[in-house]
């Protein structure tokens, strides 16, 4: 008998997982009931339709990596969510993609809040200043530092659906939920200097994903 399970809306797809027998892994968004608050909140399911032995273990690896890389929590049913219970859907998609890039048995580690920006050779640091706000700064006042800071802040805004902060320097970004997400910012910071390339890849991946999407039925 065919059974259709509503696993939610698919928001991201890895058509071929090179680290586990080329299986397809999807990220789905669901609404979960919050009994204490009497409302619901969005939670994310990592799922594969593959029946291959070990596939469940690979999914568990990805879930665990997402908890570490994105600072996410897990419901009793194994769904992931952010502690603030806001969707942060674009950011969650990045966390998923980065988690799937890790090979099996590679322990995930939270990324630091600084990177070396290859383009400017500056070390870029992001400071949490409270209420979900982060300030981007560069060591030294090298040529183009101000421009790189605002470009990287812009990258964080695009990748994490963050808002511009309340300064005129284009160096401050904030999460609409007003809460801090240090692990998430560290993860997004790695890609923020190359945001254009990242978004182009994402678009290409999405169109490939549509072509190779598995059946929604089990
Ligand atoms: Zn949040």
């Amino acid at each position: 008998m065919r059974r259709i399970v509503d696993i939610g809306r698919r928001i991201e797809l890895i058509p071929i997982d090179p680290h586990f027998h080329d299986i397809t892994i999807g990220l789905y968004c669901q609404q979960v009931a919050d009994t204490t608050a009497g409302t619901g909140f969005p939670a994310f399911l990592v799922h594969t339709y593959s029946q291959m032995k070990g596939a469940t273990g690979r999914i568990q690896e990805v879930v665990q990596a997402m908890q570490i890389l994105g600072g996410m929590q897990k419901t009793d049913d194994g769904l992931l969510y952010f502690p603030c219970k806001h969707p942060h859907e674009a950011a969650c998609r990045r966390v998923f993609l980065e988690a799937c890039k890790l090979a099996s048995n590679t322990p995930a580690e939270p990324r630091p809040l600084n990177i070396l920006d290859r383009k400017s050779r500056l070390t870029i640091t992001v400071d949490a200043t409270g209420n979900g706000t982060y300030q981007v700064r560069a060591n030294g006042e090298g040529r183009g530092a101000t421009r790189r800071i605002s470009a990287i802040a812009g990258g964080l805004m695009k990748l994490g659906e963050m808002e511009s902060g309340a300064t005129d320097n284009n160096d401050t970004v904030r999460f609409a939920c007003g809460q801090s997400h240090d692990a998430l910012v560290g993860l997004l910071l790695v890609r923020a200097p190359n945001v254009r390339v990242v978004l182009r890849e994402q678009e290409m991946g999405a169109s490939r994903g549509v072509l190779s999407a598995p059946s929604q039925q089990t």
Side-chain angles (χ1 to χ4, degrees):
M1 199 179 93
R2 291 202 105 161
R3 194 166 56 97
I4 300 172
V5 185
D6 184 15
I7 58 173
R9 177 171 52 92
R10 196 183 78 209
I11 58 168
E12 192 53 85
L13 186 77
I14 298 283
I16 295 169
D17 175 14
H19 301 302
F20 191 81
H21 304 289
D22 294 349
I23 64 169
T24 300
I25 306 179
L27 179 68
Y28 298 79
C29 183
Q30 301 181 6
Q31 200 69 14
V32 172
D34 191 339
T35 42
T36 47
T39 54
F41 62 91
F44 302 92
L45 172 74
V46 181
H47 179 75
T48 180
Y49 285 100
S50 170
Q51 303 287 325
M52 195 176 284
K53 194 166 176 258
T56 315
R58 173 61 179 156
I59 296 300
Q60 288 318 309
E61 272 182 4
V62 173
V63 168
Q64 204 173 15
M66 285 180 73
Q67 284 180 268
I68 296 166
L69 295 176
M72 300 183 81
Q73 292 176 351
K74 201 166 73 168
T75 67
D76 293 341
D77 297 330
L79 298 170
L80 291 163
Y81 63 98
F82 289 104
C84 64
K85 296 186 175 170
H86 277 240
H88 299 308
E89 197 174 298
C92 184
R93 289 167 59 199
R94 291 274 9 128
V95 175
F96 170 70
L97 292 171
E98 297 298 331
C100 288
K101 279 183 191 166
L102 291 174
S104 275
N105 302 320
T106 312
E109 278 178 28
R111 307 269 156 80
L113 287 172
N114 58 72
I115 47 155
L116 175 67
D117 175 38
R118 290 208 192 98
K119 201 162 178 177
S120 63
R121 310 298 305 164
L122 292 164
T123 297
I124 303 289
T125 303
V126 180
D127 299 313
T129 57
N131 301 323
T133 303
Y134 291 84
Q135 188 168 24
V136 183
R137 62 182 167 86
N139 76 322
E141 294 291 322
R143 275 167 71 93
T146 316
R147 207 163 350 124
R148 281 313 281 159
I149 287 171
S150 72
I152 288 167
L156 288 174
M157 281 164 56
K158 285 207 181 73
L159 294 173
E161 285 176 334
M162 298 175 80
E163 301 171 344
S164 178
T167 62
D168 296 331
N169 301 336
N170 296 326
D171 62 350
T172 309
V173 292
R174 68 181 292 273
F175 287 105
C177 65
Q179 294 187 33
S180 54
H181 292 286
D182 288 2
L184 196 51
V185 172
L187 176 108
L188 298 174
L189 183 61
V190 177
R191 305 285 164 193
N194 295 307
V195 67
R196 284 208 195 97
V197 177
V198 172
L199 294 178
R200 207 178 311 135
E201 275 173 8
Q202 207 158 300
E203 264 167 38
M204 281 163 60
S207 52
R208 263 203 314 273
V210 169
L211 294 174
S212 60
S215 164
Q216 292 284 313
Q217 299 175 350
T218 53

